[in-house]
Amino acid sequence: MKLCNATLSALPDGISGPTYDRSALTPGIVHIGLGNFHRAHQAWYLHRLMQQGLAHDWAIIGAGVRAGDAAMRDRLLAQDCLTTLVELDPDGTSAEVIGSMMDFLPVEDGNGPLIKAMSDPAIRIVSLTVTEGGYYLDADGGLDLTHPDIIRDAKMPVTPVTAFGAMIAALRARRDAGLSAFTGQCCDNLQGNGAILRQTVVGLARLSDPDLADWIDQNVAFPDAMVDCIVPATGKAELDLVRELGIADAAPVTHENYRQWVIQDQFCNGRPPWEKAGATLTDNVHPYESMKIRILNAGHQVLANVGEILGLATIADCMADAQVAAFFQKVQRTEMLPHVDAVAGLPSAEYLRLIERRFTNPKIRDTTRRVAFDGSARHPGFLLPIVRDALSAGASVNGLALVEAFWARMCAGTREDGSVVEANDPNWETLHDAAIAARHDPQRWLMVGQIYGDLGSDTVFAQAFAGWLDLIWEDGARAALTAYLDGVDMVTTEAAMAERSSRSG
């Protein structure tokens, strides 16, 4: 059956759908970035509220600012913005249709429809999933004032190209009309993501209108949040799966049987009762963010780069490889967990065991390529803060340096079987050139300043990185894994230092 409003009463047996009247929904949220994660996570939480007879005035209007978003708009509008969510549990598969999204705005140059929608007083929250690399951060975590998009929106704020410029234009219209501001709700994997969204919006506004920037800073709430659910990309296998369930859905989403959403309870214009759908509302999101980002998100990078080099297709495949799984577990327990604060009632070691179970789910075909994408945002955001903390504490960075060496080897653009790793990062050309140069001079990789900043000049980290990268290029990834698991330390082991010296000699 084709998925649309008219067929909701005829969903296949065992598949639930909206029990609420979708024609009676009114909008309250504009969401920018309608990828799979949003529909499996935030949209699902709202759907769950609506199934309880709540939040019917908080329906989602979807939006995008990239030309490519128009294709998703066409697919979703053709099925009345409904989505089939397929839960992939090792013990079985289940599905439901959610209907919390009611419209998708036209994607146009200058973002006029988006600005108009966000200017409507009915919209009380503007939320975003624009990826970790989408917030225009420089190497120090500040707003990158040199980025062409930022320069362009500062000069032409009426017709912005960025989501943040569009938010500023809408907030200007609301202020000038005497209307209340909306809450800016970041749903991306960034520690202190609300503060980062504030920095980007207020910082960009200040470049063209300092008075408006002050008004935004004083009137707009930017709550921090931690979001968690593993959601693979949709391809032919996922489209075929939903058809096997009896539904013709052009944009289905598969996901694991786990979700978590921890939200700072700081909203300036009301909010849905998220806690009644299972979200955690708190005054302090930081411990939850830190634990999740440093164990799950950083853990993904531990696996994905070496997995790509070895031709392991998915994260589950990486965990099924005894050597790679042992590498993951050792790095986590010896070099990552010591720098993770426990959340009340959930020790970090117990959380790691939860992550290991989730990563080994064979039904979740979360590709190493997807997880390795945009390493130039994910390594500085997830892994390098741990490196800095470890160095400050005088603790080991041996395994973390090996993780970075695997990333550098992957960015050279070939796997060990000779196959090509296609461009997989917005900064791929820079990374690829540095990776090729680093084969003979490892320091060239650490000189990519927007990634490593002053870490490249840290003797301990640089020495460990160089030793591992030399070994990977000389003897292969498996040899490096074996050496690490056998206890070789590229910083403190004299034999390792001597071997590196002999290689370079």
Side-chain angles (χ1 to χ4, degrees):
M1 52 155 280
K2 173 179 169 53
L3 183 62
C4 61
N5 282 334
T7 61
L8 282 177
S9 61
L11 289 174
D13 290 344
I15 299 179
S16 64
T19 57
Y20 45 89
D21 180 1
R22 296 190 74 229
S23 67
L25 299 179
T26 56
I29 299 172
V30 167
H31 184 84
I32 303 171
L34 257 295
N36 283 9
F37 181 80
H38 165 71
R39 287 178 290 143
H41 195 267
Q42 297 92 23
W44 175 86
Y45 277 94
L46 186 58
H47 169 75
R48 189 173 179 182
L49 286 177
M50 290 176 170
Q51 294 287 69
Q52 300 174 45
L54 303 170
H56 289 184
D57 60 339
W58 284 100
I60 296 165
I61 296 176
V65 296
R66 302 172 304 174
D69 294 323
M72 178 62 78
R73 177 178 187 264
D74 291 343
R75 289 196 294 271
L76 287 174
L77 287 180
Q79 55 194 49
D80 298 321
C81 296
L82 294 163
T83 293
T84 308
L85 297 183
V86 183
E87 182 179 283
L88 300 176
D89 186 283
D91 296 327
T93 298
S94 60
E96 63 181 324
V97 172
I98 66 168
S100 51
M101 178 181 169
M102 60 180 292
D103 198 5
F104 200 131
L105 298 169
V107 181
E108 297 182 3
D109 290 343
N111 288 300
L114 174 56
I115 294 168
K116 181 179 179 181
M118 293 188 295
S119 302
D120 187 333
I123 299 303
R124 288 148 285 163
I125 294 175
V126 172
S127 54
L128 304 95
T129 44
V130 295
T131 77
E132 299 82 12
Y135 290 82
Y136 299 96
L137 303 180
D138 61 21
D140 298 320
L143 178 63
D144 183 0
L145 301 178
T146 67
H147 195 285
D149 291 349
I150 297 299
I151 294 171
R152 193 266 182 212
D153 277 8
K155 290 181 177 178
M156 304 177 68
V158 176
T159 56
V161 297
T162 70
F164 314 106
M167 292 172 69
I168 292 165
L171 287 164
R172 179 186 295 108
R174 293 174 78 119
R175 181 201 62 178
D176 293 349
L179 300 174
S180 298
F182 50 70
T183 293
Q185 187 168 23
C186 179
C187 300
D188 281 302
N189 285 313
L190 295 161
Q191 190 152 338
N193 58 8
I196 290 173
L197 178 56
R198 178 187 293 275
Q199 170 183 274
T200 304
V201 173
V202 174
L204 177 56
R206 199 166 300 284
L207 297 175
S208 60
D209 190 337
D211 289 340
L212 177 61
D214 289 341
W215 185 87
I216 293 172
D217 203 26
Q218 294 165 13
N219 290 277
V220 179
F222 296 94
D224 287 334
M226 185 275 275
V227 296
D228 191 7
C229 184
I230 296 174
V231 183
T234 295
K236 183 179 183 301
E238 289 73 25
L239 293 168
D240 290 345
L241 174 60
V242 79
R243 281 185 172 274
E244 290 172 8
L245 296 173
I247 300 176
D249 184 337
V253 177
T254 59
H255 60 91
E256 65 172 331
N257 59 334
Y258 180 90
R259 286 184 184 87
Q260 189 178 20
W261 195 9
V262 182
I263 310 168
Q264 182 183 17
D265 198 1
Q266 185 183 91
F267 292 76
C268 63
N269 200 355
R271 64 169 176 83
W274 297 119
E275 65 274 22
K276 294 185 178 180
T280 299
L281 276 293
T282 180
D283 291 331
N284 185 14
V285 176
H286 177 77
Y288 297 90
E289 288 178 321
S290 179
M291 179 176 283
K292 187 257 182 174
I293 286 173
R294 292 194 170 201
I295 297 178
L296 187 151
N297 297 108
H300 261 156
Q301 300 311 302
V302 172
L303 294 169
N305 302 138
V306 66
E308 272 282 67
I309 295 168
L310 296 173
L312 302 171
T314 70
I315 295 300
D317 290 338
C318 291
M319 294 298 287
D321 183 293
Q323 197 176 36
V324 174
F327 167 59
F328 171 82
Q329 290 157 358
K330 182 176 178 179
V331 175
Q332 285 274 6
R333 286 177 167 80
T334 62
E335 298 186 28
M336 297 169 76
L337 290 194
H339 309 291
V340 176
D341 295 330
V343 172
L346 183 59
S348 56
E350 182 178 332
Y351 184 74
L352 174 59
R353 287 192 290 272
L354 168 65
I355 298 307
E356 289 171 341
R357 290 195 298 273
R358 292 167 63 191
F359 282 4
T360 57
N361 183 347
K363 290 196 172 183
I364 296 292
R365 294 204 53 80
D366 200 12
T367 65
T368 52
R369 178 172 176 81
R370 186 200 75 83
V371 174
F373 173 74
D374 201 7
S376 60
R378 293 179 174 183
H379 281 253
F382 303 154
L383 275 163
L384 298 186
I386 308 175
V387 174
R388 293 180 185 278
D389 286 353
L391 290 170
S392 296
S396 174
V397 293
N398 188 47
L400 292 168
L402 177 53
V403 174
E404 294 305 292
F406 281 134
W407 182 35
R409 171 63 182 84
M410 186 201 80
C411 289
T414 57
R415 300 180 183 87
E416 291 195 339
D417 64 4
S419 61
V420 174
V421 177
E422 300 291 345
N424 198 25
D425 193 286
N427 299 302
W428 182 259
E429 184 175 347
T430 297
L431 296 177
H432 179 65
D433 290 347
I436 295 299
R439 179 170 185 172
H440 302 291
D441 180 5
Q443 191 66 26
R444 292 286 296 275
W445 177 261
L446 299 181
M447 289 169 60
V448 182
Q450 69 264 38
I451 305 290
Y452 290 100
D454 60 356
L455 271 179
S457 60
D458 184 278
T459 303
V460 171
F461 177 65
Q463 178 179 301
F465 171 82
W468 287 123
L469 188 60
D470 283 348
L471 180 58
I472 293 167
W473 276 116
E474 184 73 18
D475 296 331
R478 292 285 182 192
L481 289 171
T482 298
Y484 174 70
L485 294 172
D486 285 347
V488 171
D489 188 327
M490 287 295 174
V491 177
T492 62
T493 301
E494 289 185 5
M497 294 170 65
E499 180 165 337
R500 179 173 182 259
S501 177
S502 66
R503 289 182 191 282
S504 60

